[in-house]
Amino acid sequence: MKYILVTGGVISGIGKGIIASSVGTILKSCGLHVTAIKIDPYINIDAGTFSPYEHGEVFVLDDGGEVDLDLGNYERFLDIRLIKDNNLTTGKIYQSVINKERKGDYLGKTVQVVPHITDAIQEWVMKQARIPVDDDGVEPQVCVIELGGTVGDIESMPFIEAFRQFQFKVKRENFCNIHVSLVPQPSTTGEQKTKPTQNSVRELRGLGLSPDLIMCRCAMPLETSVKEKISMFCHVEPTQVICVHDVSSIYKVPLLLEDQGVVNYFCKRLNLPVEMRPRKMLTKWKEMADRSDRLLEHVSIALVGKYTKLADSYTSVIKALEHSALAINHKLEVKYIDSADLETTTLQDEPVKYHEAWQKLCSSHGVLVPGGFGVRGTEGKMLAISWARKQNKPFLGERFHMVLSHILYQSCLSFSDANSTEFNPESKHPVVIDMPEHNPGQMGGTMRLGKRQTIFKSSTSVLRRLYGDVEYVEERHRHRFEVNPELKHHFQKKGLQFVGQDVEGERMEVIELDDHCYFVGVQYHPEFTSRPIKPSPPYFGLLLAAAGKLQSYLAKGCRLSPRDTYSDRSGSSSPDVDITELRFPSL
C-alpha cells in the first residue's frame, strides 16, 4: 500500500480537496486502484449537525455517513463509492479511544495523546485504506489522505504527529507528502510572493514532515525565478515545485498536474507499478475540459434556497447542474436567490432586494429548490414553486420541497390549515409528517440516511424514462419528514402523480405533475451520485427542459442529437452509449 498525504498551509480552503482528487485521478488513469481518506480535526463525530455556513454542504454516502464535502469531490473525480469511515474526525478518534479505555483495553495504563491517540489514527488509516471502493471489489493500491485545516493549527497537531511516526512505520518508499501552499500576488506590486510558502514549509518540517512535492496555488503560472526560490528555501528540487494556477474548469487540474510530471515523480518516489502508455481516461478529461471552454449556448437555472450566501452550501447541486449542462452542450448560469427575498415581508422592508429576487426568478429558464431545514424562507420557496407551476417553467424540488409542492394544493383539498409538522406541530391536517425513526431529542444521525431503493409505479413516468426505463433506482436520502400517505388519493385527483415509492409502498419518493413541461419532486438527493460523464437523470431532465430539448429527447427514445453527445468522434447519438463509453474504466 502506498500512502500520499496532502497537507495545507497559509490559509484553509486553498484547494487541497481538488488537488487530492486530481492526484487520485491521474494515478487511477495509470491503471491503479485508488482510495481516499479525509481527516477533519474538529471534535464533531461527523458533519451531520453542521450548518452549511460552517463547512459547506453535508455530503451523504451510500451507508448513510454524513461527511465533509471533499468526499464528494473524491467520488466524482475517481468514480468510487466511499463509506463513513473514509471521513476521520477528532471526535471519532477520541470516542473510539475512550470506549476502549472504558472497556479496560489499556490495562490500567494512563491514556495519552501519544501514543494512544496517535496509534489509533494510524490504525484507522491503515485499516480503511484496504477497503475496496471500486465496483470490482479489488483492494486499493494507493491511498490519498487529505488532512483538513492548516499546518500549525492546534487541532491538527495529533494528526501531524501521527503521520510523523507513520512515515517510519510504513517505510519511506511507501509514503510521501504533498504540501499545498499559497503564493499570493499583491496588486500593488504584481510580484509573486514566496515568503508565506517558506514559512509554512518551515513549520511543517519543524513538526517532523518534509514535503516531497510543494503545490503552489496562485492566480497566474509561477515564474521560473519564483520556482527556483521556493526550491532553494524549501529543500526540494525545482521539479518538485508544482504550479496549480487558476483555471477555467476544475477538469483541467488533473491535466495540469500530469503536464508537470507528477505521475513520473510518483513512479520513481513510490516505485509504482505503472506502464508509461497513453491514458484513455485522461484523454476523456481533456475532451471534457476543452468542451467546457467551447460552449456558446446558455441556460440559466434559478437556485432558490436558504444558504445562498455561500456557494459551497450547494457544491454537489452545482456540480450536478454543470454535469447536465455539459451533456447538452450548454454553458450554465446559476442565479442564486435567497428564498426569504421572495417573501412579502421583504417587499415591505427591502423592496429593491425583493424585486431583484423576482427578476432573477422570472428571467431563468428553470427553477431548482434544493433541500433545507427550518421555517425561515419556507414561504419564499413555496412562492417559487407556485410560480413555476403556474408559468409552466421546468422545476425540480428536493427532499421536503417535494412535499412543499403538496401544500400548494391545500386550497384544492379545502384544508385551511394544511401544513408540515416541522412548522406547525398542532396542524389538524398535516400534509408533511415526522418519520417514525426521527428522534426529536437527538439530532445527530437520526434522519433517514443513505442509499435506499425507489420503485417506479408508473410506466409513463418522465423520470423513469430519463433513468433508462428501469424498474427501480437506488439514490441517497437525508430527511426527517415525509408526505402523509393518508392524503395520497386526494393529491392524485388533482393531477399530482406519485410515480415512485419505497420498497414497502408506504413512503412517497417521486412526484410528477400532469400537463406540465417538467415538474418533478424527489425525496432523495440525486446530486450525490452525479458524475462528470454520467449526469444525474433528474438534473439532466431539468436542463433538457430548460433548454427546450426534453420532448424531442424523449420522442427520439432518449437520444441526443450528434452535436450534443459526449464524444465528437463517436458515431452514436445515444447519450447512454457515449456516457458508458466515457465512464471511468473499471480497473
Side-chain angles (χ1 to χ4, degrees), residues 42 175 183 203 206 262 265 294 351 389 396 403 450 502 523 544:
Y42 47 67
F175 178 89
V183 178
E203 184 158 16
V262 171
Y265 177 80
R294 294 198 306 264
R389 178 172 62 89
L396 174 62
V403 294
D502 69 349
Q523 191 67 289
L544 281 170

Side-chain angles (χ1 to χ4, degrees), residues 68-118:
D68 185 83
L69 61 83
D70 276 319
L71 275 81
N73 286 324
Y74 305 155
E75 286 203 344
R76 284 187 289 270
F77 271 71
L78 298 169
D79 196 24
I80 56 179
R81 298 273 178 152
L82 302 174
I83 61 175
K84 58 187 175 184
D85 285 346
N86 286 86
N87 191 192
L88 178 55
T89 68
T90 296
K92 285 182 180 178
I93 285 294
Y94 273 80
Q95 187 179 58
S96 68
V97 170
I98 290 170
N99 288 341
K100 284 184 179 180
E101 186 275 331
R102 290 291 83 188
K103 291 178 187 176
D105 289 357
Y106 296 116
L107 303 175
K109 291 185 179 293
T110 302
V111 180
Q112 298 174 291
V113 172
V114 180
H116 300 98
I117 296 295
T118 53

Side-chain angles (χ1 to χ4, degrees), residues 323-341:
H323 301 162
S324 295
L326 191 60
I328 63 170
N329 214 31
H330 279 60
K331 186 175 283 292
L332 175 70
E333 179 189 3
V334 179
K335 297 183 178 183
Y336 294 94
I337 302 173
D338 190 321
S339 56
D341 292 347

Side-chain angles (χ1 to χ4, degrees), residues 51-53 305-309 314 337-341 343 372-381 400-401 404 422-423:
S51 159
Y53 286 137
K306 298 174 60 174
Y307 316 112
T308 53
K309 292 184 177 66
Y314 299 109
I337 302 173
D338 190 321
S339 56
D341 292 347
E343 299 174 359
F373 294 102
V375 180
R376 184 183 69 81
T378 301
E379 181 190 342
K381 291 175 183 176
F400 93 113
H401 302 299
L404 279 180
E422 182 179 11
F423 311 138

Side-chain angles (χ1 to χ4, degrees), residues 274-286:
V274 171
E275 297 178 14
M276 290 297 114
R277 53 182 171 75
R279 291 188 278 278
K280 183 179 179 182
M281 182 173 157
L282 279 187
T283 303
K284 301 304 181 184
W285 276 81
K286 186 176 189 307

Side-chain angles (χ1 to χ4, degrees), residues 39 53 89 100 130 247 287 326 556:
I39 297 176
Y53 286 137
T89 68
K100 284 184 179 180
R130 299 191 178 279
V247 289
E287 185 178 339
L326 191 60
K556 293 176 183 176

Side-chain angles (χ1 to χ4, degrees), residues 389-446:
R389 178 172 62 89
K390 293 174 181 176
Q391 298 297 321
N392 197 32
K393 281 281 186 179
F395 166 77
L396 174 62
E398 289 185 359
R399 211 167 64 194
F400 93 113
H401 302 299
M402 174 185 109
V403 294
L404 279 180
S405 308
H406 305 292
I407 301 175
L408 290 170
Y409 279 76
Q410 58 185 315
S411 57
C412 300
L413 300 176
S414 302
F415 295 159
S416 59
D417 69 336
N419 211 321
S420 164
T421 55
E422 182 179 11
F423 311 138
N424 180 13
E426 307 303 323
S427 173
K428 293 180 181 178
H429 296 100
V431 178
V432 186
I433 58 174
D434 288 40
M435 294 183 303
E437 55 262 63
H438 175 209
N439 176 7
Q442 185 162 323
M443 298 296 287
T446 58

